[in-house]
Amino acid sequence: DLPGTLTLDNITYNTDNVTNIPSTLPAYLTRNLHLQPSHPLSATRQTIESLFPASLYETYNTLSPVVTVAQNFDCLGFPADHVGRSTSDTYYVNKHTVLRTHTSAHQAEKFRVLDAVGKPGYLITADVYRRDAIDRSHYPVFHQMEGARVFSRGGGGDVAAEVMAEVERMAAPGVEVVESCAVYEDGNPVQVAKGHTAAEAEAVAQHLQRQLELVVSRVFGEAASATSTVPSLAAQEKLKVRWVSAYFPFTSPSYELEVFWNNEWLEVLGCGVVRQDLLDYAGHSDKIGWAFGLGLERIAMLMYGIPDIRLFWSRDERFARQFADGVVRRYEPFSRYPQCYKDVTFWVPDAFHENDFMELVRGIGGDLVEDVKLIDEFTHPKTGRKSMCYRINYCSLERTLTNKEADILQEEVRAALTEKLHVELR
Ligand code: PHE
């Protein structure tokens, strides 16, 4: 980069005195984990997308993370002094441009095109960026999924009644709402935004809540049967959820959905009835709607039992291959150290027993051998002799094994094979 500029995703930006993007960050912009085939974040995204009919929800998965301060904060009604705007929380490209801190940065632009697209809703999945603490569940880059849906209030119909009629048909199997928080409290409407009747807000909030209960029912239902080691979470038990009142500058009323999982209440998403001025600005004063945003890593970690958020960024195929077939099952930890494969091929005598070979390898490699697999077997058409090829995977649990060390072990294995098992090496 030239002095005073920064290139992100092939576009060059001017920097200034608020720029705070570390040199390590730009590389993350091109990873697109949520689009990688067989990545757990991509699988989680697809599971959730499948619950939103494509006829009603337009899907956006490739929106650039570089957005204006207006998109990320101003248009959504964030006050000028909101902590989220500070350079200690947000990555600034320059004083007008940030790496989006949430997918809501695209709300206004995607509301604006609803009619052009011809669908009353959308789903956005994207990488988002926040300066934060370091621990097993926080990473400066993570992925969010945002959804929104609008309902027409025009034409003299009663939108509240129409939405409620739809709500009656929505039921999430296997979910028990143990605490809910409605638009009314003690008979009085609370948090109803300007421009909404309490009945409308209530109906839209109910629609939102039932739709999201469907999401957690599906996601956690699958996870419970696949990964739970806790008997109380067996598939036949209902998933306990609760709705908690929350605050977001762009929705009212606002809620968080919490799920009771492994004996704790976990917050899984934020949502609410979209403030009417936002829809008005986007050209939809005749509509009312809801929006939600959820963190994909958090959900995927629970779904697959992935213990550390850094694993999502792993390029190790031992991570990726566990998700290749799309089946939800518990993630199996692998050694943190690299593997080193060595193959050995030999003609076997009639009395060959595989376990003798295994024991011989174990005797030489000890715990430095992670696994041994038969990768090829062949019988010579003329002589009838049988040949086997085994792949030995050398991998320490405690340190990085050098290729030279693996070569020495492999030589010992080869020598012992001829000496002790009387095989003929090929
Ligand atoms: N964008 C909010 C967040 O990141 C979540 C949210 C989305 C809340 C849409 C309400 C509506 O926390």
Side-chain angles (χ1 to χ4, degrees):
D1 289 334
L2 292 168
T5 70
L6 176 65
T7 303
L8 296 168
D9 226 349
N10 290 321
I11 299 178
T12 302
Y13 300 86
N14 289 325
T15 54
D16 60 25
N17 61 330
V18 301
T19 306
N20 62 352
I21 313 249
S23 58
T24 47
L25 209 58
Y28 289 92
L29 272 74
T30 52
R31 290 289 296 275
N32 287 314
L33 299 183
H34 62 295
L35 299 176
Q36 297 311 308
S38 79
H39 192 280
L41 292 176
S42 176
T44 306
R45 166 183 65 78
Q46 291 176 68
T47 300
I48 301 174
E49 280 175 355
S50 73
L51 301 167
F52 292 80
S55 56
L56 298 176
Y57 297 88
E58 181 72 4
T59 304
Y60 300 98
N61 291 335
T62 56
L63 300 173
S64 167
V66 184
V67 300
T68 62
V69 170
Q71 283 174 293
N72 200 80
F73 297 118
D74 303 340
C75 295
L76 292 163
F78 278 83
D81 60 352
H82 193 279
V83 286
R85 292 180 181 258
S86 70
T87 50
S88 57
D89 284 29
T90 296
Y91 290 109
Y92 279 81
V93 176
N94 56 45
K95 60 174 170 299
H96 304 295
T97 317
V98 295
L99 295 182
R100 69 183 154 224
T101 63
H102 56 173
T103 39
S104 303
H106 302 287
Q107 247 181 46
E109 72 200 66
K110 293 311 166 202
F111 277 144
R112 205 161 288 130
V113 299
L114 285 177
D115 291 342
V117 170
K119 295 179 189 178
Y122 65 71
L123 289 175
I124 297 170
T125 304
D127 41 334
V128 301
Y129 297 77
R130 291 187 196 174
R131 303 186 74 205
D132 213 330
I134 300 179
D135 64 34
R136 277 189 297 137
S137 59
H138 287 88
Y139 206 75
V141 191
F142 60 103
H143 295 76
Q144 278 190 334
M145 188 165 192
E146 171 128 348
R149 169 76 192 270
V150 297
F151 304 91
S152 179
R153 311 159 90 188
D158 178 352
V159 64
E162 283 162 21
V163 173
M164 281 314 290
E166 211 179 299
V167 168
E168 301 303 329
R169 296 192 295 271
M170 299 166 82
V175 169
E176 182 188 349
V177 182
V178 297
E179 227 176 286
S180 76
C181 113
V183 172
Y184 292 97
E185 227 166 64
D186 304 326
N188 297 313
V190 290
Q191 278 195 24
V192 172
K194 205 163 132 232
H196 295 160
T197 68
E200 281 174 339
E202 172 83 25
V204 171
Q206 293 281 339
H207 193 280
L208 167 66
Q209 293 185 354
R210 296 301 86 74
Q211 179 66 33
L212 292 171
E213 285 161 12
L214 191 69
V215 170
V216 293
S217 141
R218 174 64 193 278
V219 164
F220 289 88
E222 248 181 58
S225 48
T227 70
S228 182
T229 47
V230 186
S232 70
L233 277 169
Q236 67 270 19
E237 274 243 352
K238 289 209 164 193
L239 178 74
K240 290 190 176 56
V241 304
R242 68 181 183 196
W243 288 101
V244 178
S245 178
Y247 172 80
F248 301 103
F250 40 98
T251 52
S252 185
S254 304
Y255 309 100
E256 271 161 7
L257 176 57
E258 298 186 345
V259 169
F260 197 64
W261 190 256
N262 289 340
N263 274 320
E264 338 173 50
W265 283 105
L266 292 173
E267 178 203 318
V268 295
L269 59 86
C271 64
V273 177
V274 179
R275 273 186 26 194
Q276 197 56 36
D277 46 354
L278 262 95
L279 284 174
D280 291 349
Y281 285 131
H284 298 298
S285 36
D286 59 333
K287 298 188 182 82
I288 179 168
W290 53 246
F292 72 86
L294 56 81
L296 278 182
E297 274 83 352
R298 165 141 250 197
I299 290 187
M301 284 172 87
L302 300 173
M303 231 174 128
Y304 296 95
I306 295 171
D308 190 315
I309 197 164
R310 290 175 302 173
L311 285 162
F312 291 110
W313 299 92
S314 167
R315 293 183 191 266
D316 196 304
E317 62 114 2
R318 287 170 292 182
F319 182 72
R321 75 172 172 226
Q322 297 192 32
F323 307 98
D325 60 4
V327 176
V328 179
R329 67 169 78 76
R330 193 169 185 83
Y331 159 75
E332 284 193 40
F334 55 83
S335 161
R336 305 157 174 257
Y337 300 99
Q339 296 174 306
C340 186
Y341 294 109
K342 302 281 171 194
D343 293 350
V344 59
T345 310
F346 47 84
W347 296 109
V348 297
D350 288 339
F352 175 79
H353 287 290
E354 185 170 88
N355 280 345
D356 295 338
F357 170 65
M358 295 293 173
E359 198 176 82
L360 178 143
V361 174
R362 185 72 89 191
I364 292 163
D367 285 349
L368 298 176
V369 176
E370 184 175 316
D371 59 61
V372 177
K373 286 196 183 104
L374 178 66
I375 58 165
D376 194 31
E377 207 174 348
F378 152 82
T379 305
H380 194 279
K382 293 214 179 91
T383 62
R385 285 173 93 197
K386 209 165 157 194
S387 160
M388 318 279 260
C389 177
Y390 285 95
R391 176 160 293 171
I392 305 175
N393 169 14
Y394 295 96
C395 176
S396 166
L397 288 164
E398 288 107 19
R399 63 193 174 85
T400 295
L401 210 58
T402 64
N403 188 48
K404 190 151 175 247
E405 285 175 281
D407 274 339
I408 292 170
L409 292 167
Q410 184 72 358
E411 263 324 301
E412 281 185 51
V413 167
R414 290 173 66 88
L417 270 167
T418 20
E419 250 167 65
K420 302 203 171 112
L421 296 187
H422 313 294
V423 306
E424 189 188 327
L425 294 170
R426 293 181 61 190

